[in-house]
Coordinates of all heavy atoms in Angstrom, one line a residue:
I20 N -7.4 13.8 -15.5 CA -7.4 14.8 -14.3 C -8.4 15.9 -14.6 O -8.5 16.3 -15.8 CB -6.0 15.5 -14.1 CG1 -5.0 14.4 -13.9 CG2 -6.2 16.6 -13.0 CD1 -3.6 15.0 -13.7
D21 N -9.4 16.0 -13.7 CA -10.2 17.3 -13.8 C -9.6 18.6 -13.9 O -8.7 18.9 -12.9 CB -11.3 17.1 -12.6 CG -12.2 18.2 -12.7 OD1 -12.2 19.3 -13.4 OD2 -13.4 18.2 -12.0
P22 N -9.7 19.4 -15.0 CA -8.9 20.6 -14.9 C -9.2 21.5 -13.8 O -8.4 22.3 -13.4 CB -9.2 21.1 -16.4 CG -10.5 20.4 -16.8 CD -10.5 19.1 -16.2
K23 N -10.5 21.5 -13.4 CA -11.0 22.3 -12.1 C -10.0 21.9 -11.0 O -9.6 22.7 -10.2 CB -12.3 22.2 -11.9 CG -13.3 22.8 -13.0 CD -14.7 22.7 -12.7 CE -15.6 23.3 -13.6 NZ -17.0 23.1 -13.4
A24 N -9.9 20.6 -10.7 CA -9.1 20.2 -9.7 C -7.6 20.5 -9.9 O -6.9 21.0 -8.7 CB -9.2 18.6 -9.5
Y25 N -7.1 20.5 -11.0 CA -5.7 20.8 -11.2 C -5.5 22.3 -10.8 O -4.4 22.6 -10.1 CB -5.4 20.7 -12.6 CG -3.8 21.0 -12.9 CD1 -2.8 19.9 -12.7 CD2 -3.5 22.3 -13.2 CE1 -1.5 20.5 -12.9 CE2 -2.2 22.6 -13.4 CZ -1.2 21.8 -13.2 OH 0.1 22.2 -13.4
L26 N -6.4 23.2 -11.2 CA -6.3 24.6 -10.9 C -6.5 24.7 -9.4 O -5.7 25.8 -8.9 CB -7.4 25.2 -11.7 CG -7.2 25.4 -13.2 CD1 -8.5 26.0 -13.8 CD2 -5.9 26.4 -13.4
R27 N -7.2 24.0 -8.7 CA -7.2 24.2 -7.3 C -5.9 23.8 -6.6 O -5.4 24.5 -5.7 CB -8.3 23.3 -6.6 CG -9.7 23.9 -6.9 CD -10.7 23.1 -6.0 NE -10.9 21.8 -6.4 CZ -11.8 21.3 -7.2 NH1 -12.4 22.2 -7.9 NH2 -11.9 20.1 -7.3
L28 N -5.2 22.8 -7.2 CA -3.9 22.4 -6.7 C -2.9 23.5 -7.2 O -2.0 23.8 -6.3 CB -3.5 21.1 -7.4 CG -2.1 20.5 -7.0 CD1 -2.1 20.2 -5.6 CD2 -1.8 19.4 -8.0
A29 N -3.0 24.0 -8.2 CA -2.1 25.0 -8.7 C -2.1 26.4 -8.0 O -1.2 27.1 -7.7 CB -2.2 25.2 -10.2
N30 N -3.4 26.6 -7.5 CA -3.5 27.8 -6.8 C -3.5 27.7 -5.3 O -3.7 28.6 -4.6 CB -5.0 28.4 -7.0 CG -5.3 28.9 -8.4 OD1 -4.3 29.3 -9.1 ND2 -6.4 28.7 -9.0
G31 N -3.0 26.5 -4.9 CA -2.7 26.2 -3.4 C -3.8 26.0 -2.6 O -3.8 26.0 -1.4
E32 N -5.0 25.8 -3.1 CA -6.2 25.6 -2.4 C -6.2 24.2 -1.7 O -6.9 24.0 -0.7 CB -7.4 25.7 -3.3 CG -7.6 27.2 -3.9 CD -8.6 27.3 -4.9 OE1 -9.7 26.5 -4.8 OE2 -8.6 28.1 -5.8
V33 N -5.6 23.3 -2.4 CA -5.6 21.8 -1.8 C -4.1 21.3 -2.1 O -3.3 21.9 -2.9 CB -6.5 20.9 -2.5 CG1 -8.0 21.3 -2.3 CG2 -6.3 20.9 -4.1
A34 N -3.7 20.2 -1.3 CA -2.4 19.7 -1.4 C -2.4 18.4 -2.3 O -1.4 18.0 -2.8 CB -1.9 19.3 0.0
K35 N -3.6 17.9 -2.5 CA -3.7 16.6 -3.4 C -5.0 16.8 -4.1 O -6.0 17.3 -3.8 CB -3.8 15.5 -2.4 CG -2.5 15.2 -1.6 CD -2.7 13.9 -0.9 CE -1.4 13.6 0.1 NZ -1.6 12.4 0.8
I36 N -5.0 16.1 -5.3 CA -6.1 16.1 -6.2 C -6.2 14.5 -6.7 O -5.2 13.8 -6.8 CB -6.1 16.9 -7.3 CG1 -4.8 16.7 -8.3 CG2 -6.2 18.4 -6.9 CD1 -4.9 17.5 -9.6
P37 N -7.5 14.0 -7.0 CA -7.7 12.7 -7.3 C -7.4 12.7 -8.9 O -7.6 13.6 -9.7 CB -9.2 12.4 -7.1 CG -9.9 13.8 -7.2 CD -8.9 14.8 -6.7
A38 N -7.2 11.5 -9.3 CA -6.9 11.2 -10.8 C -7.1 9.7 -11.0 O -7.1 8.9 -10.1 CB -5.6 11.5 -11.3
K39 N -7.4 9.3 -12.3 CA -7.6 8.0 -12.7 C -6.3 7.5 -13.5 O -6.0 8.3 -14.5 CB -8.8 7.7 -13.5 CG -8.9 6.2 -14.0 CD -10.3 5.8 -14.6 CE -11.3 5.7 -13.5 NZ -12.6 5.2 -14.2
L40 N -5.6 6.6 -13.2 CA -4.3 6.2 -13.8 C -4.6 4.9 -14.6 O -5.2 3.9 -14.0 CB -3.2 6.1 -12.8 CG -1.8 5.8 -13.5 CD1 -1.2 7.1 -13.9 CD2 -1.0 5.0 -12.4
F41 N -4.1 4.9 -15.8 CA -4.1 3.6 -16.6 C -2.7 3.4 -17.0 O -2.0 4.2 -17.7 CB -5.0 3.8 -17.9 CG -4.9 2.5 -18.7 CD1 -5.2 1.3 -18.2 CD2 -4.5 2.6 -20.1 CE1 -5.1 0.1 -19.0 CE2 -4.5 1.6 -20.9 CZ -4.8 0.3 -20.4
D42 N -2.2 2.2 -16.7 CA -0.7 1.9 -17.0 C -0.5 0.9 -18.1 O 0.6 0.3 -18.2 CB 0.0 1.4 -15.7 CG -0.6 0.0 -15.2 OD1 -1.4 -0.5 -15.9 OD2 -0.3 -0.4 -14.1
G43 N -1.6 0.7 -18.8 CA -1.5 -0.2 -20.0 C -2.1 -1.6 -19.7 O -2.4 -2.4 -20.6
K44 N -2.3 -1.8 -18.4 CA -2.8 -3.2 -17.9 C -4.0 -2.9 -17.0 O -5.1 -3.5 -17.2 CB -1.8 -3.9 -17.3 CG -0.5 -4.3 -18.1 CD 0.4 -5.2 -17.3 CE 1.6 -5.6 -18.2 NZ 2.6 -6.4 -17.4
T45 N -4.0 -1.9 -16.1 CA -4.9 -1.8 -15.1 C -5.2 -0.4 -14.8 O -4.3 0.5 -15.1 CB -4.6 -2.4 -13.8 OG1 -3.4 -1.8 -13.2 CG2 -4.4 -3.9 -13.8
T46 N -6.4 0.0 -14.4 CA -6.8 1.4 -14.0 C -7.0 1.4 -12.5 O -7.4 0.5 -11.8 CB -8.0 1.8 -14.7 OG1 -9.1 0.9 -14.4 CG2 -7.9 2.0 -16.2
R47 N -6.5 2.5 -11.9 CA -6.9 2.7 -10.5 C -6.9 4.2 -10.2 O -6.4 5.1 -10.9 CB -5.7 2.1 -9.6 CG -4.4 2.7 -9.8 CD -3.2 1.9 -9.0 NE -2.0 2.7 -8.9 CZ -1.0 2.5 -9.9 NH1 -1.2 1.7 -11.0 NH2 0.1 3.1 -9.8
E48 N -7.6 4.5 -9.0 CA -7.8 5.7 -8.6 C -6.5 6.2 -7.8 O -6.0 5.3 -6.9 CB -9.1 5.9 -7.7 CG -10.3 5.6 -8.4 CD -10.6 6.7 -9.6 OE1 -10.2 7.8 -9.5 OE2 -11.3 6.2 -10.7
I49 N -6.0 7.4 -8.0 CA -4.7 7.8 -7.2 C -4.9 9.2 -6.7 O -5.9 9.9 -7.1 CB -3.5 7.7 -8.1 CG1 -3.7 8.5 -9.3 CG2 -3.3 6.2 -8.5 CD1 -2.4 8.8 -10.1
E50 N -4.0 9.6 -5.9 CA -4.0 11.1 -5.5 C -2.6 11.6 -6.0 O -1.6 11.0 -5.9 CB -4.2 11.2 -4.1 CG -5.5 10.8 -3.5 CD -5.6 11.3 -2.1 OE1 -4.6 11.1 -1.3 OE2 -6.7 11.8 -1.7
L51 N -2.6 12.9 -6.5 CA -1.5 13.5 -7.0 C -1.2 14.8 -6.2 O -2.0 15.4 -5.8 CB -1.6 13.9 -8.4 CG -2.1 12.8 -9.4 CD1 -2.4 13.3 -10.8 CD2 -0.9 11.9 -9.6
T52 N 0.1 15.1 -6.0 CA 0.6 16.3 -5.6 C 1.4 17.1 -6.5 O 1.7 16.5 -7.7 CB 1.5 16.0 -4.3 OG1 2.7 15.4 -4.7 CG2 0.9 15.1 -3.3
S53 N 1.8 18.3 -6.1 CA 2.6 19.0 -7.1 C 3.9 18.3 -7.5 O 4.4 18.5 -8.7 CB 3.0 20.4 -6.4 OG 3.8 20.1 -5.4
A54 N 4.5 17.4 -6.7 CA 5.6 16.6 -7.1 C 5.5 15.7 -8.3 O 6.5 15.2 -8.7 CB 6.1 16.0 -5.9
D55 N 4.3 15.4 -8.6 CA 4.0 14.4 -9.7 C 4.1 15.0 -11.0 O 4.1 14.2 -12.0 CB 2.6 13.7 -9.5 CG 2.6 12.8 -8.2 OD1 3.4 11.9 -8.0 OD2 1.8 13.1 -7.2
F56 N 4.2 16.2 -11.1 CA 4.1 16.9 -12.5 C 5.5 17.3 -12.9 O 6.4 17.7 -12.1 CB 3.1 18.1 -12.4 CG 1.8 17.7 -12.2 CD1 1.2 17.6 -10.9 CD2 0.9 17.5 -13.3 CE1 0.0 17.2 -10.8 CE2 -0.4 16.9 -13.0 CZ -0.9 17.0 -11.8
C57 N 5.8 17.4 -14.2 CA 7.0 17.7 -14.9 C 7.1 19.3 -14.8 O 6.6 19.9 -15.6 CB 7.2 17.2 -16.2 SG 8.7 17.5 -17.1
L58 N 8.0 19.7 -13.8 CA 8.3 21.1 -13.7 C 9.7 21.4 -13.8 O 10.5 20.7 -13.1 CB 7.7 21.7 -12.4 CG 6.3 21.5 -12.1 CD1 5.9 22.1 -10.7 CD2 5.4 22.2 -13.1
V59 N 10.1 22.3 -14.7 CA 11.6 22.5 -14.9 C 11.9 24.0 -14.7 O 11.1 24.8 -15.1 CB 11.9 22.1 -16.4 CG1 13.4 22.4 -16.6 CG2 11.6 20.7 -16.7
G60 N 13.0 24.3 -14.0 CA 13.5 25.6 -13.8 C 12.4 26.4 -13.0 O 12.0 26.1 -11.9
A61 N 12.1 27.6 -13.6 CA 11.2 28.4 -13.0 C 9.7 28.0 -13.2 O 8.8 28.8 -12.7 CB 11.4 29.9 -13.6
D62 N 9.4 26.9 -13.8 CA 8.0 26.5 -13.9 C 7.3 26.4 -12.7 O 7.8 26.1 -11.6 CB 7.9 25.0 -14.6 CG 8.2 24.9 -16.0 OD1 8.3 26.1 -16.7 OD2 8.5 23.9 -16.4

């Protein structure tokens, strides 16, 4: 994930950001939202 893109998501400037995912077998381009990240409690 591009850290600049993550910060745009964190600051509410965009609703989705691009990323490249590798699952051990294949790579693919995906889009991520805030729901994809591990947030706990007041995070």
Side-chain angles (χ1 to χ4, degrees):
I20 301 172
D21 182 343
K23 293 180 181 178
Y25 181 91
L26 287 168
R27 288 195 291 271
L28 181 67
N30 291 331
E32 298 173 25
V33 295
K35 296 180 180 181
I36 58 173
K39 178 176 282 188
L40 185 82
F41 174 59
D42 64 5
K44 296 180 180 179
T45 60
T46 59
R47 65 183 188 274
E48 299 294 332
I49 60 172
E50 287 190 322
L51 300 171
T52 70
S53 59
D55 291 303
F56 294 89
C57 183
L58 304 178
V59 180
D62 285 342

